[in-house]
Structure formats: structure tokens, C-alpha cells
Amino acid sequence: MKNITKFLMGLLCLGMIFTSCSKDDTDYNAIEEKMRQELIRQYKTKKQQAQAIKDYAATKFTNPKFSSDSTGIWYEVISEGTGDPFDYTTSIPKISVNYKGELIDGTVFAATKEGTPANYSNLVYTYRESTQGQYLGGCWYFAFVPESVNNNGTDQKVYGLLPKGLKKGSKIRLITPSVWGFDNRAYKIGDGPSIPADSPLVYTIEVVNMEKATSN
């Protein structure tokens, strides 16, 4: 269970908050206030973008589904997949995927080449910025993990889009508020076009393979 907890903390400890979390002389009241203000900011952003995201899903998705007010993500399952659900109570997965990332206007800012899936040694690296430019947004977390994981006999909600999460062969399309993408900063992946700040993102993700990561 400690692995999924570490993964969740990567989403909760943001920016300066994350830095503070690693210090022994932490002012926890200050951290709590920063997190509160961050959650308020995220809520306002999701609310501002909600209608545009809903309209996109209604017109572009065949069978759109709304995840929750907590995420603000709309999605559709293109293929259920044939693999077994991944056990997040023991590990974070190593993944191989075909994907395409778009803006609402249809601009493709990143995509795998046909027959050449992207490989990540740990799902964490899809939302943790790296020297390889692998940052793709926190929405990948919600796409992959299940709705909840069992912790010592108790189901702990982790806000995944699907009851059992993605598995080998799964294919999903989603549109996410900018807070789970690149948030309030402009961004650029490789040679792709610039992504404006506060941009909702559209991802199509096909899971080629999932297996236990060698490190978490």
C-alpha cells in the first residue's frame, strides 16, 4: 500500500508544498494553508472550464461519461482490454502505450508514431517532469488507476475513472481540465507546438502493455 500512497502524495505535494514536505522543520500550518489555497484555485479553474469540456465531450465522444466533480474529467472507453487489472496495492506499473495529445481546437501537441509505443519505466514519470520531457499531466494518473484500492480490508478511494483501471489492451479517450494537464503555464513537448497556459487537454491512450515497475 505504501507505493500507491507515495504516488498519491506526488499529486498532493505540489511545487513549494512538496519541497516543504521533505523538511524536518516544516511549518505544517503554512503547508495546510498553501494546500487549501491550491485546492480553491483548482476548483475555480475546473468550474470555469467545465462547460467547454462538457460541450467538447458531447460533440466529439461517442459515449461520453463524466468522472466526478473532483476531477472534472469526461471520458469514453473505446476498448475494455483483455488483460488482468493491475494490483496497485503492491506496485506502480511500468507501461507501454500508444497515445495522442490534443488541444480543444484539434491541434496535436504530442503523439506516438505508428508501431512505436512510448515506454515508461514507472507510471509516475508520466506526470513527473523529467529531463526527457516525459511530463504528460496528472490526468494519466486518473486514467490508469482504479476507482479505489483495498487497504487492509477497507476500500480507499483514489479517484480513477474506471472501476478496475486501465489494463493491457484498454483504449480510452478523455478531456481534462488544465489543472490535471499543464495547468497555468505554457508548455512544449519536444518539437510539438506550444501549449498555452490553462489549456484543457484531450488524450487518447491505448495500453500496449503493463507490468510491475522495477522501482517505485
Side-chain angles (χ1 to χ4, degrees):
M1 192 63 193
K2 65 179 181 180
N3 296 293
I4 191 66
T5 301
K6 286 162 59 180
F7 193 29
L8 290 169
M9 286 304 295
L11 289 175
L12 295 175
C13 292
L14 301 169
M16 292 178 63
I17 301 173
F18 181 84
T19 301
S20 298
C21 284
S22 64
K23 296 180 179 179
D24 293 333
D25 58 347
T26 299
D27 182 344
Y28 289 101
N29 288 332
I31 291 175
E32 184 177 354
E33 178 59 21
K34 288 179 182 178
M35 293 184 73
R36 189 182 74 83
Q37 292 298 328
E38 174 62 16
L39 290 173
I40 290 173
R41 184 190 69 82
Q42 290 182 3
Y43 171 79
K44 290 180 178 178
T45 300
K46 287 185 289 184
K47 188 173 182 179
Q48 290 169 354
Q49 297 175 357
Q51 190 60 51
I53 289 173
K54 181 179 180 180
D55 291 346
Y56 182 97
T59 57
K60 300 292 186 179
F61 292 178
T62 301
N63 185 25
K65 296 182 179 180
F66 185 61
S67 57
S68 68
D69 289 329
S70 296
T71 68
I73 295 173
W74 283 82
Y75 68 96
E76 66 171 338
V77 177
I78 300 172
S79 174
E80 296 284 349
T82 57
D84 295 324
F86 190 83
D87 183 6
Y88 283 90
T89 63
T90 61
S91 180
I92 299 300
K94 172 183 178 180
I95 62 173
S96 179
V97 294
N98 294 316
Y99 79 90
K100 179 170 67 173
E102 305 171 79
L103 303 180
I104 281 184
D105 65 6
T107 299
V108 177
F109 59 81
T112 52
K113 296 180 180 180
E114 185 175 354
T116 309
N119 299 301
Y120 298 96
S121 60
N122 190 312
L123 178 58
V124 172
Y125 295 137
T126 64
Y127 76 86
R128 178 189 297 163
E129 191 168 5
S130 72
T131 55
Q132 288 76 38
Q134 293 177 311
Y135 184 86
L136 293 168
C139 58
W140 281 54
Y141 157 81
F142 297 114
F144 273 87
V145 303
E147 291 179 350
S148 62
V149 294
N150 190 277
N151 181 18
N152 297 323
T154 302
D155 286 337
Q156 178 179 343
K157 193 170 182 63
V158 292
Y159 298 99
L161 303 182
L162 306 179
K164 299 297 182 180
L166 294 183
K167 52 190 177 180
K168 184 177 180 179
S170 294
K171 189 173 184 179
I172 192 172
R173 183 179 294 118
L174 63 89
I175 179 167
T176 177
S178 60
V179 295
W180 309 127
F182 304 109
D183 206 6
N184 54 359
R185 60 173 176 160
Y187 203 82
K188 185 178 177 68
I189 298 178
D191 297 327
S194 295
I195 303 164
D198 299 308
S199 293
L201 303 180
V202 181
Y203 276 111
T204 303
I205 304 170
E206 180 183 21
V207 182
V208 177
N209 194 35
M210 292 179 70
E211 57 186 79
K212 184 177 179 179
T214 55
S215 62
N216 296 295

